[in-house]
Amino acid sequence: MARNGSRMTWRFVALAGFLFVATGILVSRLAYIQIIQKDHYRQAALEEHMDKEVVRSARGAILDRNGFPLATSVDVFDLYIDRRAWAESPLRAQEVADGLAPVLAQQPSQVLARLMDGSDGPIELFATELDYTTGVAIREMYLPGVTIAEATKRFYPEGDVASALLGFLGREHGGLAGIEADFDDILAGTPGAIYFERSAGGNPIAFGESQVVPGEPGGDVRLTIDRYIQRLIENELDFQVKAHGASGGTIIVMDPMTGAILGMASRPSFKLSQLDLDAPNFDIYRNRSVTDLYEPGSVVKVLTMATAIDLGLVTPGTTYYDAGTVEKGGYTFKNWDFSANGVQSMTQLLQKSLNTGAIWLSDLIGANKLYESFDRFGFGDSTYSGLGGESTGLVRTNKDSNWYPSDLATNSYGQGIAATPLQVITAISSVINGGKLMRPYIVEEVNSPKERRKFDPVVVRETISEASSATMRKMMNDTVDGVQNHRGQVKGYAVGGKTGTTLVSIPTGYALDSTLATFVGFAPVDDPALIMLVKIDQPKDDPLGGIVAAPVFGKLAPQILSYLNVRPAAQVAQAR
């Protein structure tokens, strides 16, 4: 008897243990479903008996370097319709049309025709970007099959400033160009949804409820662009293009020490206020500062000279004999002004922009080392600025089968190679900033609900030594301030720079009556706070960079330096 009682006790204990474990498992599973996975199952249940329509979230703002908005979003409403609400009742459709027509400023017949047109399916985005008053009025009508969802539209507080940089949105409110496209994944956020009720069998419920589930707003993108500098250079570029009868032009302002782009303008371009998505002109939408290639001309003499200085082949006082012509590869090369100057120093070579001197340097350097140097300066490769559509440039080296010795001559003074304006200013920046090729960048910070990320300056590589850079700054200063009445001079500031003038290349060679006039300048010489590239395309009145482009620097630089709180020196020795 005792043995049987003992057996029953163990069975009871085992059963109790089993029930305890089973209950624990059940409770754990319920906790997992109802607490940890509640959102997942709630969403699954929602989608089981609801139709879903994706709605856009609030788009993040694009800010300038100081936090001022260049593109932001204002609250509006989007109107959605569910045609199933009046599928079996034309009178109900007429009721909806009569209600919507006055607030949409349309005729009831127009609205009714769209309500009854089911070619786009039962659910449709019927009207977008309704203002607050209109949206609230429609919401308070409680019309069957009509749902109002909060949305946003783009607003540009600075007007048309930086249109090509900012870009624009398409009809689906995704970025199609510029920063809007390049950083669309950050700015757009996560879409929300509207759910329209249906029965368990999947049939529509005419008077079923709709539910709006908001998405996650997009993040803000803060640029390195300064709105004051951007407006200043755009206004000046517009003036200069008109004054010279030019076909276009480019102005870029950069911090040469960091690679931060403070301003970037190019023409021809477009205005956001006049954007027409029905008749798009995609050629006008590109950012020519990074997409368009050109032959930089004599600006490249700075790079050739920097290479020779860095290799220890010459000093500023080294001389050569300029006979006015050079024979190379079966071709005769002359100076741009057809001059013959006799014995000339390296500084005079830059001051007078002598083609024969650049060719003499290229022979001294040799093809291998000169092209290796051009590669270090970033020619023939993207700058990886993050701007969409950036070109890599074109450089034919002595490693290419179609290269000729005459190419070395023309390349030494900036012809026969092609680069973007951004590549050129980035390369020259490395000559003056201590020899560091900086990656140009235009985004300072990204601030989204998921992350806050700041972008720091990036050194790509060393192009020349710090000592060579100091020598080049002095030589480039002599090229501007050491030349009587140079039009790039700025009162109170030591300026360095180099002009460039090149013929426009065409399929059959060069257009002899059309030039690209360039000036790249920086200041102050000892501690550069800015570097600026000015390029005027095909000026009608004068072909030379020193006449057309240099004065633009001379006009803009003091305004920007003053704005940046860079004080003028007490005395600046200049030959005027």
Side-chain angles (χ1 to χ4, degrees):
M1 193 73 179
R3 186 176 300 169
N4 289 337
S6 176
R7 234 178 244 161
M8 290 181 64
T9 300
W10 281 109
R11 286 177 182 170
F12 177 78
V13 170
L15 179 61
F18 172 78
L19 291 174
F20 179 79
V21 172
T23 301
I25 293 173
L26 180 61
V27 169
S28 298
R29 182 61 180 170
L30 288 173
Y32 176 77
I33 293 173
Q34 295 184 2
I35 298 176
I36 298 176
Q37 289 289 307
K38 65 176 182 178
D39 292 337
H40 169 75
Y41 287 103
R42 180 183 298 162
Q43 185 70 21
L46 184 65
E47 294 180 355
E48 179 82 18
H49 64 280
M50 302 288 269
D51 280 333
K52 177 181 177 182
E53 183 78 7
V54 175
V55 297
R56 55 197 168 95
S57 301
R59 193 172 181 86
I62 303 175
L63 313 171
D64 89 331
R65 67 196 292 253
N66 298 309
F68 292 106
L70 300 174
T72 188
S73 295
V74 295
D75 292 334
V76 292
F77 289 95
D78 287 346
L79 187 158
Y80 292 82
I81 60 168
D82 184 354
R83 293 186 173 89
R84 299 173 302 188
W86 51 81
E88 299 178 0
S89 176
L91 290 178
R92 195 175 298 136
Q94 185 66 59
E95 174 192 345
V96 173
D98 291 341
L100 291 178
V103 291
L104 296 179
Q106 297 180 25
Q107 294 297 320
S109 59
Q110 292 178 291
V111 178
L112 180 62
R114 286 194 59 196
L115 294 178
M116 300 303 292
D117 180 6
S119 58
D120 290 329
I123 298 170
E124 182 186 348
L125 174 59
F126 193 77
T128 64
E129 299 184 356
L130 301 175
D131 61 41
Y132 180 80
T133 302
T134 302
V136 170
I138 294 174
R139 176 179 283 171
E140 292 178 350
M141 292 179 190
Y142 298 102
L143 297 170
V146 173
T147 300
I148 286 290
E150 294 180 357
T152 59
K153 74 173 182 178
R154 249 5 193 177
F155 173 66
Y156 304 97
E158 297 295 324
D160 289 320
V161 170
S163 293
L165 275 173
L166 298 179
F168 55 89
L169 306 180
R171 298 194 186 282
E172 302 301 320
H173 300 279
L176 290 185
I179 297 295
E180 296 278 24
D182 297 337
F183 294 87
D184 188 61
D185 58 331
I186 294 169
L187 292 164
T190 303
I194 297 180
Y195 291 92
F196 298 87
E197 192 172 9
R198 66 187 179 193
S199 68
N203 298 315
I205 300 177
F207 292 96
E209 295 184 356
S210 62
Q211 180 179 347
V212 180
V213 178
E216 187 175 79
D220 295 339
V221 174
R222 183 161 62 89
L223 306 180
T224 59
I225 294 294
D226 186 288
R227 63 173 184 163
Y228 169 79
I229 295 175
Q230 185 68 27
R231 186 180 296 277
L232 189 69
I233 65 174
E234 286 194 22
N235 289 342
E236 185 62 26
L237 183 57
D238 287 335
F239 173 80
Q240 294 295 334
V241 168
K242 183 177 180 179
H244 295 290
S247 63
T250 299
I251 299 178
I252 303 175
V253 180
M254 181 188 287
D255 180 343
M257 311 308 288
T258 66
I261 301 169
L262 305 180
M264 177 182 281
S266 60
R267 297 292 186 267
S269 188
F270 69 96
K271 294 183 178 181
L272 287 163
S273 61
Q274 299 174 7
L275 191 65
D276 184 4
L277 293 178
D278 290 323
N281 178 6
F282 293 104
D283 181 64
I284 210 75
Y285 296 149
R286 69 179 188 268
N287 181 355
R288 298 169 189 271
S289 300
V290 300
T291 63
D292 288 17
L293 299 174
Y294 79 112
E295 297 187 17
S298 294
V299 171
V300 173
K301 290 171 183 170
V302 170
L303 306 182
T304 303
M305 181 65 72
T307 302
I309 291 285
D310 197 56
L311 290 172
L313 299 174
V314 297
T315 68
T318 300
T319 61
Y320 85 105
Y321 185 81
D322 172 27
T325 61
V326 175
E327 298 290 333
K328 190 79 171 176
Y331 293 90
T332 300
F333 297 91
K334 299 179 181 180
N335 290 318
W336 65 273
D337 59 355
F338 305 103
S339 65
N341 298 275
V343 177
Q344 297 290 295
S345 70
M346 295 298 99
T347 298
Q348 289 174 314
L349 186 162
L350 290 181
Q351 288 175 327
K352 298 177 182 179
S353 196
L354 301 175
N355 294 343
T356 59
I359 296 171
W360 181 82
L361 281 174
S362 68
D363 286 339
L364 198 64
I365 297 167
N368 286 337
K369 291 185 178 179
L370 184 59
Y371 288 121
E372 287 171 2
S373 180
F374 282 172
D375 181 66
R376 287 196 304 275
F377 282 119
F379 280 20
D381 192 12
S382 169
T383 67
Y384 301 97
S385 64
L387 293 169
E390 183 174 356
S391 300
T392 59
L394 298 169
V395 180
R396 188 170 61 229
T397 75
N398 59 325
K399 301 294 193 299
D400 297 317
S401 59
N402 58 345
W403 179 87
Y404 300 95
S406 58
D407 290 329
L408 181 64
T410 56
N411 295 167
S412 70
Y413 56 82
Q415 287 196 243
I417 59 177
T420 66
L422 184 60
Q423 284 177 315
V424 173
I425 194 173
T426 301
I428 301 297
S429 290
S430 77
V431 174
I432 66 167
N433 69 6
K436 302 294 188 292
L437 185 72
M438 306 302 299
R439 179 183 298 165
Y441 67 106
I442 201 164
V443 174
E444 184 89 19
E445 185 179 63
V446 167
N447 189 2
S448 72
K450 296 180 180 179
E451 65 171 337
R452 183 170 186 172
R453 181 160 38 115
K454 184 174 175 60
F455 295 86
D456 296 320
V458 174
V459 178
V460 179
R461 56 182 166 269
E462 182 179 280
T463 56
I464 59 174
S465 70
E466 191 170 340
S468 298
S469 176
T471 300
M472 287 303 303
R473 284 198 301 273
K474 176 62 170 62
M475 294 180 74
M476 293 178 72
N477 176 228
D478 290 337
T479 301
V480 177
D481 290 342
V483 175
Q484 189 77 22
N485 298 320
H486 193 292
R487 300 192 182 195
Q489 293 173 351
V490 177
K491 185 177 180 180
Y493 295 94
V495 171
K498 183 70 186 73
T499 59
T501 305
T502 186
L503 297 174
V504 175
S505 60
I506 57 177
T508 56
Y510 292 95
L512 300 180
D513 60 346
S514 187
T515 65
L516 304 174
T518 304
F519 179 76
V520 180
F522 65 95
V525 168
D526 291 337
D527 186 18
L530 72 81
I531 184 169
M532 184 189 309
L533 179 145
V534 179
K535 181 170 74 76
I536 306 298
D537 301 340
Q538 299 175 292
K540 294 291 189 296
D541 49 355
D542 196 293
L544 301 178
I547 303 298
V548 175
V552 181
F553 176 91
K555 182 178 180 181
L556 290 174
Q559 299 177 68
I560 298 174
L561 289 167
S562 176
Y563 173 75
L564 295 175
N565 294 317
V566 180
R567 296 182 178 181
Q571 289 184 337
V572 177
Q574 292 179 325
R576 297 189 184 277

XYZ file of all heavy atoms in Angstrom, residues 302-378:
590
model
N 51.491 75.941 -63.612
C 51.743 75.896 -62.172
C 52.101 74.481 -61.745
O 53.018 74.259 -60.953
C 50.514 76.400 -61.395
C 50.661 76.128 -59.901
C 50.297 77.886 -61.636
N 51.394 73.493 -62.276
C 51.653 72.098 -61.906
C 52.974 71.608 -62.489
O 53.716 70.858 -61.839
C 50.502 71.215 -62.387
C 49.098 71.626 -61.951
C 48.067 70.625 -62.463
C 49.014 71.753 -60.439
N 53.256 72.006 -63.716
C 54.540 71.641 -64.325
C 55.692 72.240 -63.538
O 56.693 71.560 -63.260
C 54.589 72.123 -65.790
O 53.473 71.559 -66.508
C 55.874 71.693 -66.470
N 55.567 73.516 -63.163
C 56.610 74.174 -62.381
C 56.743 73.545 -61.003
O 57.871 73.306 -60.525
C 56.282 75.664 -62.238
C 57.325 76.471 -61.440
S 58.933 76.542 -62.283
C 58.514 77.663 -63.638
N 55.615 73.253 -60.354
C 55.655 72.640 -59.026
C 56.364 71.297 -59.061
O 57.097 70.935 -58.137
C 54.233 72.474 -58.493
N 56.157 70.548 -60.148
C 56.824 69.246 -60.291
C 58.335 69.418 -60.389
O 59.101 68.709 -59.720
C 56.296 68.528 -61.548
O 54.883 68.376 -61.448
C 56.945 67.159 -61.696
N 58.767 70.360 -61.206
C 60.209 70.597 -61.370
C 60.842 71.115 -60.083
O 61.955 70.712 -59.716
C 60.436 71.596 -62.506
N 60.129 72.008 -59.377
C 60.629 72.517 -58.092
C 60.755 71.383 -57.095
O 61.765 71.250 -56.377
C 59.675 73.605 -57.548
C 59.734 74.878 -58.399
C 59.977 73.921 -56.086
C 60.958 75.727 -58.206
N 59.728 70.536 -57.021
C 59.717 69.457 -56.028
C 60.778 68.406 -56.311
O 61.314 67.783 -55.380
C 58.331 68.808 -55.993
C 58.101 67.988 -54.741
O 58.241 68.555 -53.634
O 57.790 66.789 -54.858
N 61.108 68.209 -57.580
C 62.160 67.245 -57.943
C 63.556 67.826 -57.771
O 64.561 67.123 -57.964
C 61.975 66.791 -59.394
C 60.753 65.895 -59.677
C 60.576 65.681 -61.179
C 60.901 64.555 -58.964
N 63.636 69.090 -57.410
C 64.932 69.737 -57.218
C 65.642 70.067 -58.514
O 66.863 70.285 -58.513
N 64.890 70.130 -59.604
C 65.504 70.374 -60.906
C 65.733 71.863 -61.157
O 66.634 72.232 -61.924
C 64.621 69.798 -62.017
C 64.391 68.282 -61.955
C 63.384 67.855 -63.022
C 65.712 67.532 -62.141
N 64.892 72.701 -60.557
C 65.016 74.148 -60.749
C 64.722 74.861 -59.442
O 64.157 74.289 -58.505
C 64.047 74.673 -61.839
C 64.362 74.070 -63.198
C 62.590 74.411 -61.446
N 65.075 76.132 -59.401
C 64.693 77.054 -58.336
C 64.020 78.252 -59.015
O 64.064 78.371 -60.245
C 65.923 77.537 -57.542
O 66.726 78.363 -58.402
C 66.750 76.355 -57.036
N 63.416 79.155 -58.248
C 62.799 80.326 -58.888
C 63.767 81.136 -59.738
O 63.344 81.765 -60.720
C 62.289 81.141 -57.691
C 62.022 80.117 -56.633
C 63.098 79.096 -56.797
N 65.046 81.094 -59.406
C 66.026 81.883 -60.150
C 66.685 81.160 -61.305
O 67.459 81.764 -62.058
N 66.402 79.859 -61.471
C 66.966 79.102 -62.597
C 66.536 79.743 -63.921
O 65.392 80.159 -64.067
C 66.500 77.636 -62.547
O 66.936 77.031 -61.324
C 67.056 76.846 -63.731
N 67.458 79.801 -64.877
C 67.139 80.454 -66.158
C 67.182 79.463 -67.326
O 67.784 78.393 -67.241
C 68.117 81.603 -66.444
O 69.447 81.064 -66.535
C 68.060 82.662 -65.367
N 66.536 79.861 -68.399
C 66.619 79.159 -69.685
C 66.570 80.228 -70.760
O 66.242 81.397 -70.499
C 65.472 78.147 -69.842
C 64.194 78.746 -70.384
C 63.801 78.527 -71.698
C 63.386 79.567 -69.576
C 62.644 79.095 -72.202
C 62.231 80.133 -70.061
C 61.863 79.902 -71.374
O 60.715 80.467 -71.862
N 66.894 79.860 -71.986
C 66.897 80.840 -73.073
C 65.634 80.671 -73.916
O 65.373 79.602 -74.485
C 68.128 80.686 -73.967
C 68.212 81.762 -75.027
C 68.713 83.031 -74.713
C 67.755 81.527 -76.328
C 68.762 84.029 -75.662
C 67.802 82.523 -77.292
C 68.306 83.770 -76.951
O 68.350 84.772 -77.887
N 64.827 81.716 -73.971
C 63.600 81.707 -74.744
C 63.868 82.311 -76.123
O 63.992 83.531 -76.266
C 62.523 82.518 -74.018
C 61.269 82.723 -74.872
O 61.022 81.859 -75.743
O 60.567 83.725 -74.664
N 63.921 81.426 -77.130
C 64.125 81.878 -78.510
C 62.802 82.196 -79.206
O 62.785 82.627 -80.357
C 64.879 80.805 -79.295
N 61.698 81.952 -78.493
C 60.390 82.248 -79.070
C 59.737 81.070 -79.741
O 58.518 81.062 -79.945
N 60.528 80.065 -80.141
C 59.987 78.865 -80.778
C 60.699 77.626 -80.253
O 61.856 77.698 -79.815
C 60.140 78.901 -82.309
O 61.531 78.972 -82.632
C 59.406 80.091 -82.907
N 60.013 76.493 -80.311
C 60.587 75.205 -79.916
C 60.127 74.161 -80.924
O 58.939 74.098 -81.276
C 60.137 74.783 -78.502
C 60.648 73.389 -78.179
C 60.608 75.770 -77.451
N 61.054 73.344 -81.407
C 60.714 72.232 -82.302
C 60.551 70.969 -81.464
O 61.448 70.606 -80.694
C 61.817 72.031 -83.337
C 62.047 73.213 -84.254
C 60.896 73.427 -85.222
O 60.204 72.424 -85.546
O 60.689 74.580 -85.645
N 59.424 70.309 -81.640
C 59.178 69.117 -80.833
C 58.290 68.157 -81.616
O 57.177 68.513 -82.021
C 58.462 69.528 -79.533
C 58.372 68.430 -78.505
C 59.680 68.264 -77.748
C 59.489 67.305 -76.590
N 60.748 67.037 -75.892
N 58.798 66.945 -81.861
C 57.995 65.918 -82.526
C 57.525 66.322 -83.898
O 56.433 65.919 -84.321
N 58.305 67.130 -84.585
C 57.916 67.547 -85.918
C 57.008 68.759 -85.957
O 56.538 69.148 -87.038
N 56.762 69.360 -84.785
C 55.902 70.539 -84.718
C 56.700 71.721 -84.169
O 57.642 71.547 -83.382
C 54.692 70.295 -83.810
C 53.724 69.270 -84.354
C 53.879 67.916 -84.046
C 52.656 69.644 -85.169
C 53.002 66.966 -84.534
C 51.769 68.698 -85.656
C 51.943 67.364 -85.341
O 51.068 66.423 -85.827
N 56.283 72.913 -84.542
C 56.889 74.132 -84.024
C 55.925 74.792 -83.046
O 54.765 75.055 -83.377
C 57.211 75.126 -85.154
O 58.122 74.508 -86.063
C 57.838 76.392 -84.601
N 56.422 75.047 -81.852
C 55.597 75.654 -80.805
C 56.093 77.065 -80.522
O 57.299 77.321 -80.478
C 55.644 74.809 -79.520
C 55.084 73.426 -79.694
C 55.919 72.372 -80.054
C 53.738 73.178 -79.527
C 55.413 71.093 -80.222
C 53.219 71.910 -79.690
C 54.061 70.866 -80.043
N 55.143 77.962 -80.270
C 55.477 79.359 -80.008
C 54.804 79.832 -78.734
O 53.872 79.198 -78.225
C 55.021 80.240 -81.181
C 55.669 79.886 -82.509
C 55.155 80.774 -83.621
C 55.797 80.406 -84.962
N 55.308 81.269 -86.068
N 55.256 80.961 -78.213
C 54.594 81.575 -77.075
C 53.240 82.128 -77.503
O 53.011 82.433 -78.678
C 55.455 82.698 -76.491
C 56.688 82.150 -75.794
O 56.616 81.151 -75.086
N 57.827 82.788 -76.017
N 52.345 82.289 -76.528
C 50.980 82.708 -76.841
C 50.942 84.078 -77.527
O 50.065 84.336 -78.337
C 50.131 82.745 -75.564
C 50.592 83.779 -74.555
C 51.531 83.618 -73.588
C 50.131 85.130 -74.453
N 51.701 84.770 -72.871
C 50.844 85.726 -73.373
C 49.201 85.907 -75.142
C 50.656 87.052 -72.989
C 49.001 87.222 -74.756
C 49.716 87.779 -73.691
N 51.942 84.944 -77.216
C 51.977 86.282 -77.825
C 53.043 86.391 -78.910
O 53.383 87.490 -79.340
C 52.209 87.343 -76.753
C 53.516 87.119 -75.984
O 54.188 86.089 -76.216
O 53.860 87.981 -75.158
N 53.600 85.223 -79.310
C 54.621 85.145 -80.362
C 55.910 85.899 -79.993
O 56.691 86.295 -80.861
C 54.086 85.683 -81.701
C 52.826 85.010 -82.154
C 51.602 85.637 -82.022
C 52.871 83.725 -82.686
C 50.435 85.005 -82.429
C 51.708 83.092 -83.091
C 50.488 83.727 -82.959
N 56.142 86.061 -78.696
C 57.324 86.807 -78.240
C 58.536 85.902 -78.148
O 58.432 84.677 -78.035
C 57.050 87.441 -76.879
O 56.851 86.440 -75.889
N 59.723 86.514 -78.174
C 61.000 85.850 -77.901
C 61.689 86.710 -76.842
O 61.985 87.880 -77.085
C 61.844 85.736 -79.162
N 61.943 86.141 -75.653
C 62.318 86.960 -74.500
C 63.758 86.789 -74.042
O 64.175 87.425 -73.077
C 61.379 86.641 -73.335
C 59.931 86.963 -73.658
O 59.480 88.080 -73.501
N 59.185 85.947 -74.122
N 64.537 85.927 -74.706
C 65.925 85.741 -74.289
C 66.027 84.976 -72.986
O 65.220 84.083 -72.706
N 67.006 85.317 -72.171
C 67.226 84.624 -70.894
C 66.097 84.970 -69.923
O 65.829 86.142 -69.649
C 68.587 85.008 -70.282
C 68.744 84.324 -68.928
C 69.716 84.604 -71.215
N 65.454 83.925 -69.405
C 64.320 84.112 -68.499
C 64.442 83.197 -67.284
O 64.875 82.044 -67.391
C 63.006 83.788 -69.222
C 62.701 84.701 -70.395
C 62.360 86.102 -69.952
O 61.350 86.337 -69.294
N 63.229 87.064 -70.306
N 64.048 83.714 -66.125
C 64.029 82.901 -64.903
C 62.728 82.114 -64.829
O 61.772 82.368 -65.587
C 64.151 83.799 -63.675
O 62.959 84.562 -63.494
N 62.664 81.189 -63.885
C 61.434 80.408 -63.700
C 60.283 81.302 -63.253
O 59.125 81.094 -63.648
C 61.662 79.286 -62.688
C 62.672 78.229 -63.135
S 62.196 77.323 -64.644
C 63.159 78.210 -65.905
N 60.575 82.294 -62.433
C 59.529 83.231 -62.024
C 59.023 84.026 -63.220
O 57.811 84.212 -63.396
C 60.060 84.189 -60.941
O 60.427 83.428 -59.777
C 59.015 85.218 -60.557
N 59.922 84.456 -64.060
C 59.510 85.186 -65.261
C 58.717 84.290 -66.206
O 57.815 84.760 -66.911
C 60.739 85.750 -65.977
C 61.405 86.906 -65.245
C 62.696 87.333 -65.905
O 63.534 86.494 -66.265
N 62.883 88.646 -66.063
N 59.048 83.014 -66.223
C 58.306 82.058 -67.042
C 56.822 82.097 -66.671
O 55.949 82.146 -67.542
C 58.875 80.653 -66.834
C 58.364 79.474 -67.673
C 59.363 78.331 -67.604
C 56.990 78.967 -67.242
N 56.538 82.071 -65.340
C 55.154 82.121 -64.888
C 54.542 83.498 -65.104
O 53.379 83.617 -65.510
C 55.062 81.730 -63.413
C 55.339 80.256 -63.072
C 55.194 80.024 -61.576
C 54.401 79.323 -63.832
N 55.317 84.531 -64.827
C 54.791 85.892 -64.985
C 54.361 86.168 -66.426
O 53.319 86.769 -66.671
C 55.849 86.913 -64.563
C 56.087 86.980 -63.056
C 57.223 87.924 -62.707
O 58.187 88.065 -63.470
N 57.131 88.559 -61.550
N 55.155 85.719 -67.380
C 54.870 85.966 -68.783
C 54.121 84.811 -69.439
O 53.765 84.886 -70.614
C 56.169 86.233 -69.543
C 56.914 87.466 -69.040
C 58.235 87.665 -69.771
C 58.992 88.873 -69.218
N 60.298 89.075 -69.908
N 53.912 83.745 -68.665
C 53.192 82.564 -69.141
C 53.776 82.052 -70.455
O 53.091 81.913 -71.474
C 51.698 82.886 -69.320
O 50.948 81.693 -69.416
N 55.067 81.701 -70.418
C 55.790 81.322 -71.624
C 55.614 79.833 -71.940
O 56.006 78.961 -71.166
C 57.274 81.653 -71.463
C 57.575 83.139 -71.200
C 59.059 83.338 -70.938
C 57.106 84.006 -72.369
N 55.050 79.543 -73.095
C 54.887 78.150 -73.528
C 56.239 77.463 -73.719
O 56.401 76.286 -73.389
C 54.101 78.092 -74.839
C 52.672 78.566 -74.685
O 52.154 78.655 -73.574
N 52.045 78.890 -75.800
N 57.193 78.211 -74.255
C 58.510 77.609 -74.496
C 59.156 77.190 -73.186
O 59.872 76.185 -73.137
C 59.412 78.620 -75.220
O 59.535 79.810 -74.417
C 58.869 78.969 -76.586
N 58.893 77.945 -72.126
C 59.449 77.602 -70.817
C 58.833 76.346 -70.252
O 59.524 75.506 -69.661
N 57.515 76.202 -70.411
C 56.849 74.992 -69.929
C 57.361 73.767 -70.677
O 57.564 72.700 -70.082
C 55.335 75.135 -70.099
N 57.593 73.895 -71.990
C 58.130 72.780 -72.781
C 59.546 72.450 -72.323
O 59.924 71.270 -72.205
C 58.102 73.129 -74.282
C 56.649 73.307 -74.747
C 58.789 72.045 -75.106
C 56.511 73.861 -76.148
N 60.338 73.493 -72.049
C 61.705 73.273 -71.549
C 61.669 72.511 -70.224
O 62.463 71.582 -70.003
C 62.379 74.631 -71.360
C 63.794 74.565 -70.872
C 64.907 74.350 -71.620
C 64.235 74.713 -69.520
N 66.031 74.354 -70.820
C 65.643 74.585 -69.514
C 63.600 74.959 -68.310
C 66.414 74.683 -68.356
C 64.354 75.048 -67.139
C 65.743 74.913 -67.177
N 60.726 72.863 -69.366
C 60.576 72.157 -68.088
C 60.156 70.699 -68.305
O 60.658 69.794 -67.618
C 59.538 72.860 -67.211
C 59.982 74.114 -66.468
C 58.782 74.749 -65.761
C 61.075 73.794 -65.452
N 59.248 70.471 -69.238
C 58.771 69.101 -69.456
C 59.897 68.207 -69.958
O 59.957 67.013 -69.607
C 57.606 69.096 -70.453
O 58.028 69.447 -71.757
N 60.811 68.751 -70.786
C 61.974 67.974 -71.224
C 62.893 67.673 -70.047
O 63.465 66.579 -69.945
C 62.750 68.745 -72.299
C 62.042 68.742 -73.643
O 61.196 67.843 -73.859
O 62.327 69.638 -74.468
N 63.034 68.645 -69.161
C 63.890 68.476 -67.986
C 63.310 67.411 -67.046
O 64.038 66.572 -66.493
C 64.010 69.821 -67.255
C 65.153 69.997 -66.261
C 66.502 69.917 -66.982
C 65.016 71.345 -65.545
N 62.019 67.445 -66.877
C 61.346 66.497 -65.973
C 61.286 65.100 -66.578
O 61.518 64.098 -65.892
C 59.915 66.987 -65.655
C 59.956 68.324 -64.915
C 59.143 65.953 -64.840
C 58.610 69.023 -64.843
N 60.937 65.016 -67.854
C 60.749 63.728 -68.524
C 59.297 63.294 -68.480
O 58.548 63.631 -67.552
N 58.915 62.553 -69.488
C 57.511 62.162 -69.627
C 57.014 61.324 -68.455
O 55.930 61.565 -67.918
C 57.319 61.391 -70.939
N 57.810 60.339 -68.027
C 57.365 59.452 -66.951
C 57.016 60.232 -65.695
O 55.935 60.083 -65.117
C 58.427 58.408 -66.628
C 58.518 57.330 -67.689
O 57.574 57.097 -68.432
N 59.671 56.674 -67.774
N 57.936 61.075 -65.270
C 57.737 61.789 -64.002
C 56.672 62.876 -64.107
O 55.960 63.143 -63.136
C 59.065 62.374 -63.523
C 60.053 61.303 -63.071
C 61.321 61.903 -62.494
C 62.260 60.807 -62.003
N 63.524 61.363 -61.448
N 56.543 63.513 -65.266
C 55.532 64.555 -65.384
C 54.131 63.948 -65.344
O 53.244 64.464 -64.655
C 55.716 65.351 -66.676
C 54.753 66.544 -66.828
C 54.905 67.527 -65.669
C 54.983 67.258 -68.151
N 53.946 62.846 -66.043
C 52.619 62.237 -66.025
C 52.315 61.588 -64.676
O 51.155 61.564 -64.237
C 52.475 61.225 -67.162
C 52.369 61.890 -68.513
C 53.298 61.624 -69.521
C 51.357 62.806 -68.782
C 53.220 62.242 -70.763
C 51.261 63.433 -70.018
C 52.196 63.159 -71.001
O 52.103 63.785 -72.231
N 53.336 61.076 -64.004
C 53.139 60.576 -62.647
C 52.699 61.718 -61.721
O 51.847 61.545 -60.847
C 54.429 59.951 -62.115
C 54.774 58.610 -62.742
C 56.168 58.125 -62.348
O 56.839 58.836 -61.551
O 56.586 57.056 -62.841
N 53.278 62.889 -61.941
C 52.909 64.047 -61.142
C 51.474 64.485 -61.437
O 50.697 64.777 -60.518
C 53.875 65.202 -61.411
O 53.543 66.333 -60.640
N 51.095 64.542 -62.710
C 49.724 64.899 -63.065
C 48.736 63.931 -62.414
O 47.647 64.328 -61.991
C 49.543 64.872 -64.584
C 50.104 66.081 -65.293
C 50.149 66.115 -66.676
C 50.600 67.169 -64.586
C 50.658 67.235 -67.344
C 51.112 68.280 -65.237
C 51.142 68.314 -66.624
N 49.130 62.677 -62.347
C 48.282 61.679 -61.699
C 48.130 61.989 -60.210
O 47.038 61.880 -59.649
C 48.876 60.284 -61.899
C 48.026 59.199 -61.258
O 46.893 58.989 -61.718
O 48.491 58.573 -60.285
N 49.223 62.359 -59.550
C 49.148 62.712 -58.125
C 48.259 63.940 -57.914
O 47.578 64.054 -56.893
C 50.545 62.981 -57.548
C 51.404 61.755 -57.354
C 52.576 62.029 -56.435
N 53.408 63.143 -56.895
C 54.386 63.034 -57.787
N 54.644 61.836 -58.323
N 55.101 64.079 -58.141
N 48.279 64.865 -58.851
C 47.451 66.055 -58.743
C 45.972 65.755 -59.024
O 45.125 66.630 -58.876
C 47.942 67.142 -59.708
C 49.161 67.871 -59.227
C 50.335 67.844 -59.964
C 49.143 68.580 -58.031
C 51.469 68.523 -59.530
C 50.265 69.263 -57.589
C 51.432 69.232 -58.335
N 45.669 64.533 -59.425
C 44.277 64.118 -59.576
C 43.722 64.200 -60.977
O 42.530 63.938 -61.189
